[in-house]
Amino acid sequence: MPEALPIFPLNTVLFPGMTIPLHVFEQRYRRLVSELLGPTMAGGEVGGRERGPARFGVVWIELGHEVASESGQGAGGADTGVPHTDDHGRHPSLPLVSPVGCTAVVRDVRTYEDGRYDLVVEGGTRFRIVDLSEVDASSPDDYSSASVSLLPEALGPDAEEHAERVHDLYEVYRGRLSQIGMAPETSRDLPRDPIALSHAVAASVVLDPAEKQRLLEAEDAATRLAVAARFLRRENRIVATPTLPNLPAGPFLNNGVSFN
């Protein structure tokens, strides 16, 4: 049954079980957070939602700008506005987002007197957007919501075999990165469950966002692990080269709060 979710577009792909820091300052997303947390936690206005771990939806921006730059303004000094999932007829200044995302729950929050927030959010359940609300992009207070279908987490054929292969490849990956002073942000003990493993590895490996999105959208854990194995073989060859080429920005380059 479809569920209604407020939508928060990012230049990051969020996976189940993954935690990310967010700095929220654009007016429409301040309102979203205030309504999610309620007045008890957020110091919001009277009439906000009662305190809870209410969730929202994170979607990757395929084309366009993140919700705002550090100044609170998008490219050319314009508000980045609200997202779209259909590239046909899309206003060029508004972001195009992927139709598959991940729910997020706020695990930690810091509120500033001027209304900004520092959040730590955790990924929950994958979803597919059924219908994305049309919002007046000229209004700084309006954010998008969507009707979404939560996606099942199926094992798929030969998931255990794929999991063993990915465990081995990931240990090589972690070891080679450690030799050059880089370490993945995962514990030494990866999950044994193939579904949890598929998400943990997908979240940790440094990849292009489009490749991350491909992993998020995989129909089952076996498929995700098979694709992750191909990526890990490629990355292991790259890391093993005498001169390490430029890597895409990822968790290894995270120096703190993401400005979103």
Side-chain angles (χ1 to χ4, degrees), residues 65-229:
H65 299 278
E66 207 163 48
V67 292
S69 64
E70 187 173 351
S71 66
Q73 298 294 317
D79 192 307
T80 49
V82 293
H84 293 251
T85 56
D86 185 1
D87 200 22
H88 298 290
R90 184 183 68 91
H91 192 285
S93 67
L94 300 182
L96 173 70
V97 299
S98 292
V100 173
C102 184
T103 63
V105 174
V106 176
R107 294 304 186 197
D108 194 17
V109 58
R110 176 183 178 185
T111 305
Y112 293 88
E113 292 183 359
D114 62 4
R116 294 175 296 122
Y117 297 99
D118 283 342
L119 307 176
V120 176
V121 304
E122 180 180 346
T125 305
R126 297 181 308 130
F127 64 81
R128 181 177 296 277
I129 294 176
V130 176
D131 182 53
L132 188 64
S133 65
E134 293 187 9
V135 176
D136 181 3
S138 66
S139 172
D141 294 320
D142 289 342
Y143 58 82
S144 288
S145 60
S147 174
V148 307
S149 292
L150 301 181
L151 297 176
E153 293 292 353
L155 274 174
D158 304 319
E160 296 289 346
E161 294 179 17
H162 288 295
E164 291 182 11
R165 190 172 301 115
V166 166
H167 261 285
D168 293 342
L169 289 167
Y170 190 82
E171 285 305 312
V172 173
Y173 178 71
R174 176 160 36 199
R176 290 181 179 177
L177 285 176
S178 297
Q179 290 175 0
I180 58 173
M182 303 170 73
E185 292 184 348
T186 57
S187 67
R188 291 292 303 176
D189 298 321
L190 285 171
R192 302 306 304 183
D193 173 71
I195 294 173
L197 174 67
S198 72
H199 291 307
V201 170
S204 177
V205 179
V206 178
L207 298 171
D208 181 272
E211 295 174 333
K212 294 264 190 180
Q213 185 66 27
R214 179 181 173 188
L215 290 168
L216 183 70
E217 295 183 9
E219 62 182 355
D220 53 45
T223 302
R224 185 174 302 108
L225 289 166
V227 175

Side-chain angles (χ1 to χ4, degrees), residues 24 27-51 54 106 109 111 115 117 119 143:
V24 181
Q27 182 60 37
R28 71 180 84 246
Y29 297 106
R30 291 188 194 182
R31 179 187 170 198
L32 185 158
V33 173
S34 178
E35 292 177 358
L36 283 171
L37 300 179
T40 304
M41 289 185 69
E45 298 176 0
V46 175
R49 189 178 299 176
E50 292 296 321
R51 177 176 180 172
V106 176
V109 58
T111 305
Y117 297 99
L119 307 176
Y143 58 82

